[in-house]
Amino acid sequence: MRPWPTDRIALGGDYNPEQWPRATWREDMALMREAGVSFVTLGVFSWSWLEPAKGEYDFGWLDEVMGLLHENGIAVDLATATATPPPWLSAAHPEILPVDRDGHTLWPGSRQAWCPSSPVYREHALALTTQLARHYRDHPALALWHVSNEYACHNLPCYCDTCAGAFRRWLRQRYPGLDAVNDAWGTAFWSQRYTDWDQILPPRRTTTFANPTHQLDFARFGSDTLLDFFREEKAVLVEHSPGVPVTTNFMTLTHFRHLDYHDWAPEQDVVSTDHYVIESLEHPRAELAFSADLTRGIAGGAPWMLMEHSTSAVNWQPVNRAKAPGQTIRDSLAHVARGADTIGFFQWRQSRAGSEKFHSALVPHAGRDSARFREVCELGAIAGRLGEVRGSRVEADVAILWDYQAGWAASGPAMPSGDLEYALVGQSIHRLLRGRGITADVVHPSADLTAYRVVVVPTLYLVRDEHAAAIAAAAESGAQVLVTFFSGISDEHDHVRLGGYPGAFRDLLGVRVEEFFPLLPGETVALSEGTGRLWSEDVTPTTAEVLGVYAEGPLAGRPAVTRARAGGGSAWYLSTLPDDQSLDAVLGRIVTAAGVSPAAEVAPGVEAVRRRGEHGSWLFLANDTAQEQTVEVAGHDLVSDRPVGSVVLEPGGVAVVREA
Ligand code: GAL
Ligand code: ZN
């Protein structure tokens, strides 16, 4: 077994040699060395090459590739190759194919066309995993096992009959009986009461709004089902290839929410994730930062692996534009700043054929003689100097709570406002804090909140009692807690907490709300400071003091921003989403009250994040503005490899300063 590279931040990516002739493999090795590639992920989509017919295995070509990589000192993250079944399997067993909400079969011809509950699929996948684990267990290039690939990317939820049966079994384990399911789902409503388990179906397309708790439980079931499959694959690896760490690549991009990664993380030897910048977003770089901070939260603060991102364009957005010069480096370091100890890409060499032929790679269509490959080589040199950063932790005094299950519930049918996207408020607050040079951990409500000076609770619509209690305890013990509208509304079954909103947080916040007044698309409401959008409420303070009010309309004079004393800390409430400037002003008051200071004094638009280890600290800087920026910091810049007293950053420029 090869240890994961520790003298550098590992750089590499998905390697798909089966798409190329052998002569190219030799060239690949030379170019990988030139670029400073220290790992590859191998075999992700190789099933049909490794098992051309049932039970007939052909590992010869992979042996050759593994040998070449070993000779060249490159560590292998070896996939179990079970992400996509070969055509012979789906032809022999069409029952493994997933089915959509309308009952349409999703046919083979793309990838991941398998039902998450299919026992037939599992059996075949586990057989291949067993063979691979036995064959490569002692291979000197093997450093890490990569189970499947991006679970749930395309095949969840599946509404097939196999899933219907599996869903019923899952419910029987979760609930003491059918009555309990009826209670939890509130089936007294609309004559939905079940009298036999077999009447329960996946939430297939129906006439109008589906039962929200039925949908919520089906989402939980989907995540649990795939996690169960992951565990089975992992068990095979642990049995036949003991001692080799195991991971699967998550998708912590904020728009991807099929899996509850907080449940998945404890099963990983190292948390790894994929991230792709979506340039069409209003704040693409803030989304990257949020996603990275979420990944770190999922990893419990430990360093994590960026398994995939892109050197340049992707192929799956409506318009796919190449990245600007320098952006490969800047995006990579943005992840490292926030705790990644690995820089991985999809993929090593840009495909000639297939639906990803216009997706960028480390070696583009233009070949070695290209600006992108030169930038990759530059990144390789930087990664080589960043080894000392490995293992250090990101400093953050602020926690922003994120709960996939609250997100599922909040995205349920027939809500007060269809415009309230779960991630929006948390991301807005995160972005404004980032603009102040303040780093936040994005963590689950069950995380240990005691060390944070500020705890932000954005639109935590569904909240469990114990989580609400932990949030209140954080305020009691001195934190500034900021809760936003549409938090604490429902319990774990998505039943509304009665007696007035915001249910679980009413006492903590010292406010009571009887009705919601969400704003229409584009509508704003004047506040005593700035304007609000998206939401408004008629807030009655019980113990809270009023810090800001609505300045017009039916709520004129009613509270928009409040604060209540809570033990050693305070509990702030926002009943609307203020414009950036006004929200930033509220955040400014909160961080001042909490005594939180930025990682460095930087101009707005300059990102500053600090990682700290046993033997030092590193300040990561990135200039997102269009002007040159100077930051006062003394030490050694590992990007330019020069001692610095202050750093001058070009637009788009980056620095990683080992602080004196
Ligand atoms: C990921 C996937 C890769 C590749 C990449 C393209 O979702 O794991 O195999 O398809 O996207 O951006
Ligand atoms: Zn299914």
Side-chain angles (χ1 to χ4, degrees), residues 92 130 157-158 233 240 261 285 310 312 437 482 487 505 589 602 608:
T130 307
C158 171
E233 281 208 62
H240 297 288
Y261 290 128
R285 307 196 53 72
S310 65
S312 191
L482 169 63
S487 293
F505 300 118
R589 293 181 70 169
V602 288

Side-chain angles (χ1 to χ4, degrees), residues 36-60:
V37 163
S38 50
F39 88 98
V40 295
T41 300
L42 191 59
V44 171
F45 297 107
S46 302
W47 192 340
S48 63
W49 290 84
L50 295 170
E51 191 183 1
K54 183 174 164 61
E56 281 173 30
Y57 298 99
D58 174 10
F59 294 168

Side-chain angles (χ1 to χ4, degrees), residues 216-292:
L216 176 61
D217 268 352
F218 195 66
R220 289 170 169 148
F221 153 77
S223 181
D224 286 359
T225 299
L226 284 172
L227 177 55
D228 185 56
F229 184 21
F230 169 82
R231 285 197 189 100
E232 287 183 12
E233 281 208 62
K234 184 180 176 188
V236 168
L237 296 170
V238 169
E239 182 188 345
H240 297 288
S241 173
V244 180
V246 178
T247 191
T248 185
N249 48 339
F250 293 170
M251 297 171 72
T252 48
L253 306 89
T254 32
H255 67 269
F256 180 87
R257 303 204 205 114
H258 286 318
L259 301 177
D260 186 346
Y261 290 128
H262 291 108
D263 286 344
W264 284 63
E267 309 284 336
Q268 312 298 313
D269 290 325
V270 54
V271 165
S272 64
T273 200
D274 301 345
H275 184 271
Y276 290 91
V277 176
I278 301 189
E279 290 294 350
S280 56
L281 293 178
E282 201 181 340
H283 305 285
R285 307 196 53 72
E287 192 283 332
L288 183 161
F290 185 90
S291 168

Side-chain angles (χ1 to χ4, degrees), residues 2 66 146 238 244 274 312 324 329 348 517:
R2 179 179 288 277
M66 290 284 284
H146 181 107
V238 169
V244 180
D274 301 345
S312 191
I329 292 176
W348 163 249
F517 295 83

